[in-house]
Amino acid sequence: MVNGGGTRLKLIEAAAHARPMVATVLGAEGLRFEPEREILLRDDDAGFAAACVALLRDDAACARMGAAARRRAIDCYSAASASGRIAGLMQAD
């Protein structure tokens, strides 16, 4: 069985630092990043490479994608977000 758990943590960390991301569907499985806006998902070698090259050639796209990914990381994966969800679950009982 292939497990990409470490990759997911790296993607969240990259997003928190406003970096554009390219990953496979499996590598980003379970994460809430919006494809084509906050992350590029490519499963074939040529598509993955082309997405990386496209980002390397487009600083504005990198900045837009990185900023969008950072907002998502803060909203979904920050300590404040997690503690708020935990508090909400505890109050629901």
Side-chain angles (χ1 to χ4, degrees):
M1 173 187 278
V2 176
N3 182 327
T7 300
R8 289 175 191 91
L9 294 176
K10 290 176 182 80
L11 290 172
I12 294 168
E13 183 177 19
H17 290 281
R19 299 295 185 250
M21 302 173 292
V22 180
T24 63
V25 171
L26 178 62
E29 185 178 46
L31 297 177
R32 296 181 182 177
F33 295 111
E34 183 180 329
E36 302 304 314
R37 184 173 180 276
E38 300 164 347
I39 190 170
L40 299 179
L41 299 175
R42 304 291 187 270
D43 283 326
D44 63 292
D45 294 343
F48 197 98
C52 291
V53 170
L55 287 173
L56 288 169
R57 291 181 174 165
D58 191 343
D59 290 341
C62 287
R64 279 190 310 276
M65 184 175 289
R70 179 171 166 72
R71 286 189 298 274
R72 176 74 66 179
I74 290 168
D75 289 346
C76 295
Y77 305 110
S78 67
S81 173
S83 64
R85 286 193 308 272
I86 292 168
L89 289 170
M90 294 175 71
Q91 291 174 354
D93 286 340

